[in-house]
Amino acid sequence: MLFKKKKSEPEVKKIDLLLKENILLNQKNPGSKEDVIRAIGEVLKKSGYVNDNYVNGMLKREESFPTNLGNGIAIPHGVLEVKKEIKNSGLAVMVFPEGVQWNDEVVKLVVGIAGAEEEHLDILSNIAMNLSTPEDVDKLVAANSVDYIYDIFMGNATA
């Protein structure tokens, strides 16, 4: 054989944007927003969306630009430098019925985002459309249904 066959890159398995097991209801306040970011980052990591370093990038993002949006929502995600740590676009959702202090706001819904390429814009747009009022967020928090939350985030229902 004149030329060695190149070893092919391992194929990256495509994972759904949101897995039902990544929707965590009735979470208790872990203490700080940094603890929440670490916890939701671990969910993204264990599901195969991101590598280890992405969680550090999520914490770095929070230091430079707080990710609470108002309406009781926070969307922690990584800084631009850790985009290369994203293996697949993905979400993780944590619901805190009693809330978590996030800067000057009490947050009840935390959506961890790993958006590969330009997909993060579509993800943010979907969140903004479906959770534009505090009432929309309250319905999600009170729903106590993984299926309902899944359907909202996957575009199968509206809040």
Side-chain angles (χ1 to χ4, degrees), residues 17-27 36 40 43-44 49 74 90-96 108-113 127 131 140-141 145-146 149-150 153:
L17 182 64
L18 177 61
L19 304 172
K20 288 184 180 181
E21 60 263 26
N22 290 352
I23 301 171
L24 307 171
L25 304 174
N26 298 314
Q27 298 297 293
V36 174
I40 207 157
V43 173
L44 291 170
Y49 295 118
L91 300 174
V93 179
M94 297 176 89
V95 178
F96 294 90
K108 293 186 175 186
L109 184 68
V110 179
V111 183
I113 300 174
I127 292 170
L131 302 172
L140 257 176
V141 170
S145 167
V146 167
I149 294 172
Y150 178 85
F153 279 94

Side-chain angles (χ1 to χ4, degrees), residues 113-131:
I113 300 174
E117 315 271 321
E118 296 303 315
E119 289 179 305
H120 70 282
L121 297 174
D122 293 334
I123 293 167
L124 293 173
S125 173
N126 184 32
I127 292 170
M129 285 188 334
N130 284 300
L131 302 172

Side-chain angles (χ1 to χ4, degrees), residues 128-148:
M129 285 188 334
N130 284 300
L131 302 172
S132 61
T133 69
E135 293 79 21
D136 292 337
V137 175
D138 289 343
K139 277 174 51 178
L140 257 176
V141 170
N144 252 345
S145 167
V146 167
D147 291 330
Y148 177 70

Side-chain angles (χ1 to χ4, degrees), residues 59-72:
L59 291 163
K60 190 174 178 184
R61 162 71 68 197
E62 192 63 36
E63 289 173 9
S64 64
F65 190 84
T67 58
N68 55 308
L69 302 175
N71 293 343

